[in-house]
Every structure is written in structure tokens, then in C-alpha cells.
């Protein structure tokens, strides 16, 4: 029997309420991908700043894209690295976020619905990053609003 991962509701609320920038890994101009819709929602409904991170480095929702976290300019203040990659690839994204944590002032990793890697989550926590796993901000928003904590 496997125990289901439990996210810290206070961390989820804090990340959702903070106006900081979300670097969305896996975000491209492909409107058929969930990353495109969720990023649009983050920008227009929650007022988040976005940084698309995708090998094509495309501009998405008016935001300049970068091929990797390493390509984002020094001093950029990223609240969340939002991971729209498969569970088998998320560990590498988490390791990149840890590597660039101080340079980009990264606070947390958010692994999207269906994305889980306990070892990567442990590495992120050990590096001082908050971790949310296997959920989507669009799913969490009604819960946060219900608690009266969001606009």
C-alpha cells in the first residue's frame, strides 16, 4: 500500500497568494497542452508574472521564453518553478532549480497533476525549497478561496 503525498496547505496558499513570477517549465505556444491554459490562467486570473521555459524559447502570453532555467538572466526573482514535464524528467528540472536557486531567488517547486518524484522533492526540500507535488494551481485555487485567503 502506497501512501498518497500530502501537500502543505499553508505553502500552497502562500505560493498562490504571492504575486511573484512563475517559471513554467514545458510552456510553449502549443495551445493544446495543459501548460498553455494553466499559464494563461495564472497570468490573467491570478496576476502572476510568467517565464516560459521550453527548448524552443518561445514568447508565450507576451512573456519572453528561455530554453532552460540556466538561460534566465541573473537577478530574476522567481517565486515558483512550475513543472509541466513527466515524472521521469522532473528530477532534472528540480536539480536545475536547485543549481540556480540563489541566482534566481527560487522559493519553490510545483510539480503539476500526475507529476511525482519523492527523491527530487526531498532534494529540493534539503536545498531549502518549498515543494508542492501532484496538483494544479487551478485545482487548489477554489480550496484557497474557500478558506477566504484569496481575492
Amino acid at each position: 500500500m502506497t501512501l498518497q503525498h500530502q501537500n502543505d496547505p499553508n505553502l500552497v496558499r502562500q505560493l498562490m497568494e504571492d504575486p511573484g513570477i512563475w517559471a513554467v517549465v514545458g510552456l510553449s505556444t502549443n495551445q493544446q497542452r495543459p501548460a498553455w491554459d494553466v499559464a494563461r490562467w495564472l497570468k490573467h486570473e491570478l496576476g502572476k508574472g510568467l517565464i516560459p521555459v521550453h527548448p524552443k524559447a518561445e514568447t508565450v502570453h507576451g512573456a519572453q521564453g528561455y530554453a532552460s532555467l540556466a538561460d534566465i538572466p541573473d537577478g530574476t526573482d522567481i517565486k515558483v518553478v512550475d513543472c509541466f514535464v513527466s515524472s521521469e524528467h522532473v528530477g532534472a528540472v528540480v536539480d536545475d532549480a536547485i543549481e540556480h536557486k540563489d541566482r534566481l531567488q527560487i522559493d519553490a517547486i510545483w510539480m503539476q497533476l500526475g507529476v511525482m518524484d519523492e527523491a527530487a522533492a526531498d532534494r529540493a526540500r534539503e536545498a531549502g525549497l518549498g515543494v508542492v507535488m501532484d496538483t494544479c494551481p487551478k485545482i487548489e485555487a477554489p480550496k484557497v478561496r474557500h478558506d477566504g485567503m484569496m481575492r
Side-chain angles (χ1 to χ4, degrees):
M1 180 178 194
T2 304
L3 295 176
Q4 183 179 4
H5 172 81
Q6 295 292 315
N7 290 308
D8 177 353
N10 292 323
L11 176 61
V12 170
R13 182 179 303 108
Q14 173 193 358
L15 297 176
M16 299 277 298
E17 290 177 342
D18 190 286
I21 295 170
W22 286 45
V24 183
V25 178
L27 176 57
S28 71
T29 57
N30 183 345
Q31 295 182 24
Q32 304 305 310
R33 303 289 298 168
W36 190 89
D37 184 54
V38 172
R40 182 184 65 187
W41 179 84
L42 285 167
K43 180 177 181 174
H44 294 291
E45 295 298 319
L46 297 187
K48 303 288 186 197
L50 295 177
I51 297 176
V53 179
H54 188 278
K56 294 181 181 178
E58 299 169 310
T59 296
V60 185
H61 303 304
Q64 169 65 51
Y66 296 91
S68 68
L69 292 173
D71 295 327
I72 297 172
D74 289 354
T76 303
D77 187 353
I78 295 175
K79 185 67 179 179
V80 176
V81 175
D82 189 2
C83 303
F84 277 94
V85 298
S86 66
S87 295
E88 67 187 41
H89 293 112
V90 77
V93 175
V94 169
D95 291 340
D96 284 348
I98 292 167
E99 180 181 345
H100 297 284
K101 173 185 173 276
D102 294 333
R103 185 179 70 80
L104 299 175
Q105 304 172 53
I106 299 168
D107 291 336
I109 301 291
W110 189 301
M111 296 183 214
Q112 281 292 328
L113 190 63
V115 181
M116 294 186 68
D117 184 332
E118 291 288 353
D122 288 344
R123 290 193 305 275
R125 286 186 199 98
E126 288 170 13
L129 295 169
V131 176
V132 176
M133 190 162 45
D134 190 27
T135 192
C136 178
K138 286 181 80 171
I139 292 170
E140 297 300 321
K143 298 175 192 175
V144 173
R145 283 191 191 109
H146 181 265
D147 291 342
M149 301 303 283
M150 255 175 75
R151 52 184 163 140

